[in-house]
Amino acid sequence: MKTALITGITGQDGSWLAELLLAKGYAVHGTVRRTSTPGDSRLLPFLDRLVLHPADMTDAGSLRDAVAACRPDEVYNLAAQSHVGTSWAMPAYTTDVAGLGAVRLLDAVRAEAPSARVYQASTCEIFGTSPAPQSEATPLAPRNPYAVGKAAAYHAVRNHRDAYGLFAVNGILFNHESERRGERFVTRKITRAVGRIVAGTQGSLALGNLEARRDWGHAEDYVEAMWRMLQLDAPEDLVVATGVSHSVQDFVEAAFAAAGLDWREHVTTDPALVRPIDIPELVGDASRARERIGWSPRVGFDALVRRMVDHDVRLARLERDCGEAPVPRR
Ligand code: NAP
Ligand code: G4F
C-alpha cells in the first residue's frame, strides 16, 4: 500500500484527490490547521479513512513533523491562500504561504523522505499577462501577490529537482471548479446565487469584472492529472487545461439560463470587486499533458455549469426548508 500526504486536504482539490487516492488503495494522510474544518461536507463522507496531522505552511517544524510521521511515497502540496482577490489585501501572508511554504515543505521532504515524489500545485496565474494560449514554454509574468508566491514555488521545485535529484513536478493547472468549490470563487459565487434566487432566499448578485476570460474545467478531472504526473518515469512540469476559454459573463448567462432565469434581471456590477490588476485571458495549451500522461478533460463547460447549478439549486432548497443543509452521504 502506498502512502500519500496531502497539504490542503480540506480544500476543493484536497477532497477530490483524497477520494481518488483512497479508491486507488492509498493510505491517505493530510495536514490541517487549528482553524480547519475537516468535518464539513467536503471530507466528511470519508473522514474516518484519513489520518490528519497538525501543520501550517508558515511553520517549517510542523511540516517536517508531518512528513516524518507518515514517511510518504507521494506528497501533494495543495495548501495555499488561493484566492487571488484576497492576495491583494494580504500580500505578505499569501506570498509566504504559497511561496516560502513550498520551500519549507520541499526541505522537509528532503530531510525526512528524500525518495518521496512531490506534486506542487502550480497555476496558470504565473503566466500573468503573457499572451494566450499559455503552455510550458510561456514566459512567467506574475501580476498579483498570489502569483508571485506561486512563481517562487515553481522555481523552488525546479531547483530541488536539479540540485538534489528530488522527484518534484509543477502541475500548472488552469481554473478548475466543482460543486465543492469555495464560495468566494466566481463560478461558485454565481451558482450559489442562482440556487438561492430559485429558492427565493436571495434577490441579486454583485460581481466585478465580467469580461475576464478563464479556462474552466472540472476539479475531479484535474486531480487525476495530479496523480498521473507522479507516475511519470521522470519528473517534468506540465500544463493542465481544457484549451477553451469563456468570459465571466458567459458563465453567468449559462448558469442563470440553466435554472430558467434571465441574468440581466439579477446581476449588478460593483467596482469594489474589480481587482487592481486582472488578467484578461488565461487559456491553456495542454497538448504536452495529453502526450505525456494521456490526460484530457472529460467534463466540458456546459456540463460543468449544469452540474454546479443543479447541486446548488438542491442545496439552497434544503437550506431554506431544513434551516441548514443535511450532511451529504456517499
Ligand atoms: P482551496 O479550496 O482554497 O484550498 C486551500 C487549502 O489550503 C485548504 O485546505 C486550506 O486549509 C489550506 N491552507 C490555506 N492556508 C494554509 C496554511 N497557511 N497552512 C496550511 N494549509 C493552508 O484551493 P483549491 O481550489 O483546492 O486549490 C488547491 C491548490 O491548487 C491551491 O494551492 C491553489 O492555489 C492551486 N490551484 C488551484 C486552481 C483552481 O482553479 N482551483 C488552479 C491552479 C492552482 P484550511 O481548511 O485550514 O483553510
Ligand atoms: O474565480 P476567481 O476568483 O478565480 P481566479 O482569480 O481565476 O483564481 C483561481 O484560479 C487560479 C488559476 O487561474 C488559481 F490559481 C487560483 O488559486 C484560483 O483558484 O476569479 C475568476 C475571474 C477573475 O477575472 C475575477 O476578477 O472572475 C472575476 N470576477 C468577477 N467578479 C470575480 C468576481 N471573481 C470573484 N472571486 N468574485 C467576483 O465577484
Side-chain angles (χ1 to χ4, degrees):
M1 182 193 269
K2 277 192 184 176
T3 298
L5 175 65
I6 305 173
T7 71
I9 196 168
T10 53
Q12 170 189 249
D13 292 6
S15 74
W16 287 112
L17 180 63
E19 205 172 352
L20 176 78
L21 296 179
L22 286 171
K24 289 184 183 296
Y26 280 63
V28 179
H29 296 241
T31 65
V32 286
R33 299 188 284 170
R34 189 185 64 77
T35 51
S36 300
T37 51
D40 81 3
S41 60
R42 281 192 188 134
L43 294 183
L44 196 54
F46 44 89
L47 187 58
D48 57 346
R49 299 170 63 198
L50 305 174
V51 184
L52 300 177
H53 304 269
D56 194 298
M57 299 308 290
T58 60
D59 186 295
S62 66
L63 293 171
R64 196 165 164 160
D65 287 348
V67 174
C70 63
R71 304 252 177 233
D73 300 291
E74 296 175 7
V75 177
Y76 295 86
N77 182 28
L78 308 188
Q81 190 303 93
S82 72
H83 195 275
V84 173
T86 301
S87 81
W88 289 103
M90 305 179 70
Y93 173 73
T94 302
T95 311
D96 186 358
V97 174
L100 288 179
V103 175
R104 295 181 187 107
L105 182 64
L106 289 163
D107 283 342
V109 171
R110 198 156 65 86
E112 303 293 344
S115 57
R117 296 182 165 207
V118 181
Y119 174 88
Q120 165 62 22
S122 191
T123 166
C124 56
E125 281 285 336
I126 62 176
F127 299 133
T129 40
S130 285
Q134 293 93 4
S135 73
E136 294 84 359
T138 300
L140 270 49
R143 298 309 308 270
N144 55 63
Y146 165 79
V148 167
K150 286 287 187 177
Y154 166 89
H155 288 300
V157 163
R158 293 167 72 92
N159 285 348
H160 274 70
R161 187 161 77 206
D162 296 344
Y164 307 122
L166 202 68
F167 189 112
V169 299
N170 288 294
I172 309 170
L173 271 51
F174 283 62
N175 296 52
H176 45 279
E177 319 294 313
S178 72
E179 48 280 32
R180 300 182 194 175
R181 185 61 144 150
E183 298 194 6
R184 291 186 57 239
F185 298 94
V186 78
T187 57
R188 191 80 197 286
K189 182 174 171 181
I190 294 164
T191 60
R192 280 295 264 154
V194 167
R196 290 185 180 120
I197 289 167
V198 170
T201 55
Q202 182 173 335
S204 63
L205 167 67
L207 292 170
N209 179 12
L210 297 181
E211 289 171 13
R213 299 185 71 85
R214 292 291 181 271
D215 178 335
W216 281 297
H218 195 284
E220 195 171 6
D221 286 344
Y222 286 58
V223 299
E224 171 74 26
M226 295 177 188
W227 176 77
R228 289 192 190 190
M229 285 185 72
L230 289 196
Q231 316 313 310
L232 280 163
D233 290 335
E236 68 176 299
D237 304 330
L238 293 174
V239 159
V240 178
T242 71
V244 181
S245 80
H246 289 89
S247 68
V248 174
Q249 184 168 320
D250 292 339
F251 195 103
V252 169
E253 288 181 22
F256 278 78
L261 298 169
D262 181 350
W263 70 280
R264 281 168 297 229
E265 292 172 11
H266 302 280
V267 176
T268 59
T269 51
D270 179 351
L273 294 170
V274 177
R275 296 168 183 175
I277 301 172
D278 200 14
I279 311 301
E281 182 170 33
L282 290 165
V283 55
D285 172 358
S287 36
R288 195 166 174 82
R290 199 158 41 246
E291 178 205 320
R292 307 293 292 166
I293 56 170
W295 183 89
S296 55
R298 285 167 298 188
V299 181
F301 179 78
D302 293 336
L304 171 71
V305 175
R306 166 63 65 186
R307 209 163 137 172
M308 291 178 70
V309 168
D310 287 351
H311 177 275
D312 283 341
V313 168
R314 277 198 306 276
L315 181 61
R317 286 187 171 134
L318 285 168
E319 285 171 340
R320 181 195 62 197
D321 298 340
C322 307
E324 61 181 32
V327 172
R329 307 205 72 79
R330 277 162 78 78

